[in-house]
Amino acid sequence: MEGLIIKNISNDYIVKSKDKFYNCKARGLFKKNKITPLVGDNVIFDEKNNYILEIKKRKNSLIRPNVSNVDQALIVTSVKEPNLDTYLLDKLLTIISFNNIEPIICFTKIDLLNKEEQKIIEQFINYYKSIGYKVITNENKENFKNIFINKITVLTGQSGAGKSSLINMLDNNLKLQTNEISYALNRGKHTTRHTELYKIMSGYVVDTPGFSQVEFNDMKPSDIRDNMKEMFSNLHSCKYRDCMHIREDNCYVKELVAEEKILKTRYINYKNFIDSIE
Ligand code: ZN
């Protein structure tokens, strides 16, 4: 039979198949080949003996949380208390895109802004939308209607951005471990926490936050450029085919920055990202 691993506690894997759940073990063969089944894996299993026989090809796999086949990451981003952190937002957008996962920006706490602040944030929202990112706000449940369907989603974003309250709004039966405690635990101490996919609005969310302290591991400067939408999409108009938009002459991106058609913070962050890995 074919199924989806939705939960893992030490050596037990809960496989869901046609709305039934099977408590399976991995075959010895996996251990011999140093392959560990992951939550998110599509598997072939023996439903009589409860053994996982085969893992289907993965689209991707993450280390923290330890899941595979992640379709998208919801970047929960507070606009006030804590203030909008464009550095972290742009960093997450870039790293998530690099991992072949679609990022979705979810702005929270918009209701805390005064009129003037609201105008500024609206400009940010419109900019991110205009360059092609999916952007939603958490003001009502309707905004999430089609987001989760048939997808595996991880949540990420700065602490205090409102991940837990977002999940509570979407489904108050779910108590995701997206609180500050799990952040503290993830910061180095070993924990025995399990990983689990939770059904939410016809899709799945992962119970632990992802990408919370990810760095630009294994990324080259050109990877940063190619995973920031406007740095990549305008590249063809630069004089040099491999323009990094920093020291080159006749750089179209730098022109757009000067004309304020590219958000200044985006370009500053871009340069800082490249500095930080060079
Ligand atoms: Zn350029």
Side-chain angles (χ1 to χ4, degrees):
M1 278 182 85
E2 210 174 315
L4 170 72
I5 301 180
I6 60 152
K7 187 174 180 176
N8 163 229
I9 308 170
S10 56
N11 291 321
D12 292 313
Y13 298 92
I14 309 296
V15 178
K16 189 184 176 207
S17 178
K18 295 183 187 125
D19 289 321
K20 277 188 166 172
F21 299 92
Y22 302 83
N23 192 343
C24 294
K25 302 266 186 213
R27 264 198 337 183
L29 184 68
F30 291 124
K31 205 168 257 175
K32 212 174 123 202
N33 294 330
K34 295 203 168 118
I35 301 167
T36 313
L38 293 175
V39 168
D41 276 342
N42 294 302
V43 296
I44 308 282
F45 69 104
D46 172 350
E47 78 272 24
K48 291 206 179 73
N49 301 306
N50 289 343
Y51 267 105
I52 295 170
L53 303 173
E54 187 188 326
I55 300 168
K56 297 247 172 164
K57 196 173 184 300
R58 290 170 184 156
K59 174 170 146 179
N60 54 38
S61 63
L62 303 181
I63 293 165
R64 190 179 290 168
N66 209 359
V67 285
S68 67
N69 299 318
V70 174
D71 296 296
Q72 54 188 20
L74 202 62
I75 309 176
V76 184
T77 304
S78 155
V79 294
K80 201 170 181 178
E81 293 174 24
N83 285 340
L84 177 60
D85 181 346
T86 64
Y87 186 87
L88 180 66
L89 173 61
D90 289 334
K91 189 174 180 183
L92 287 168
L93 283 169
T94 309
I95 294 171
I96 287 163
S97 300
F98 178 70
N99 281 279
N100 295 318
I101 294 170
E102 175 162 31
I104 302 172
I105 308 169
C106 175
F107 286 114
T108 61
K109 304 194 185 181
I110 289 190
D111 53 313
L112 297 182
L113 300 171
N114 64 36
K115 280 254 160 66
E116 226 160 277
E117 294 167 325
Q118 220 160 9
K119 264 189 194 160
I120 297 167
I121 293 298
E122 252 163 45
Q123 284 171 353
F124 273 98
I125 293 178
N126 290 336
Y127 179 79
Y128 282 96
K129 276 186 188 167
S130 74
I131 56 172
Y133 288 110
K134 249 193 214 173
V135 182
I136 50 173
T137 58
N138 71 331
E139 283 145 316
N140 64 65
K141 220 173 147 173
E142 271 303 285
N143 299 356
F144 295 87
K145 216 176 143 203
N146 299 314
I147 293 286
F148 296 106
I149 299 176
N150 296 330
K151 301 255 168 76
I152 294 180
T153 306
V154 294
L155 271 85
T156 182
Q158 83 239 83
S159 49
K163 287 186 289 286
S164 310
S165 41
L166 173 66
I167 289 300
N168 289 341
M169 179 190 84
L170 297 175
D171 186 338
N172 47 23
N173 294 319
L174 274 184
K175 287 272 178 283
L176 291 208
Q177 312 214 22
T178 50
N179 51 28
E180 312 315 323
I181 294 161
S182 68
Y183 266 91
L185 290 173
N186 274 340
R187 242 191 291 270
K189 281 186 203 163
H190 283 288
T191 64
T192 50
R193 300 186 54 256
H194 67 275
T195 305
E196 184 163 359
L197 296 182
Y198 286 101
K199 196 97 200 170
I200 189 167
M201 294 170 113
S202 307
Y204 288 104
V205 291
V206 185
D207 70 331
T208 43
F211 299 106
S212 47
Q213 43 250 316
V214 181
E215 296 305 320
F216 294 110
N217 294 334
D218 306 321
M219 288 178 77
K220 303 188 295 287
S222 61
D223 292 324
I224 290 178
R225 178 196 61 201
D226 297 347
N227 287 287
M228 288 183 78
K229 284 194 189 286
E230 69 278 60
M231 306 305 160
F232 180 68
S233 67
N234 292 302
L235 176 62
H236 64 93
S237 300
C238 294
K239 180 176 169 184
Y240 304 102
R241 227 188 49 181
D242 207 33
C243 185
M244 285 305 298
H245 318 316
I246 295 175
R247 283 169 284 269
E248 297 88 344
D249 59 282
N250 287 315
C251 168
Y252 185 59
V253 164
K254 282 198 282 186
E255 276 173 37
L256 292 176
V257 174
E259 291 167 16
E260 293 185 20
K261 285 178 182 151
I262 284 180
L263 208 61
K264 234 189 189 106
T265 55
R266 286 278 290 179
Y267 185 65
I268 293 169
N269 290 337
Y270 168 71
K271 285 206 294 189
N272 284 335
F273 296 158
I274 287 179
D275 277 349
S276 75
I277 62 166
E278 268 179 349

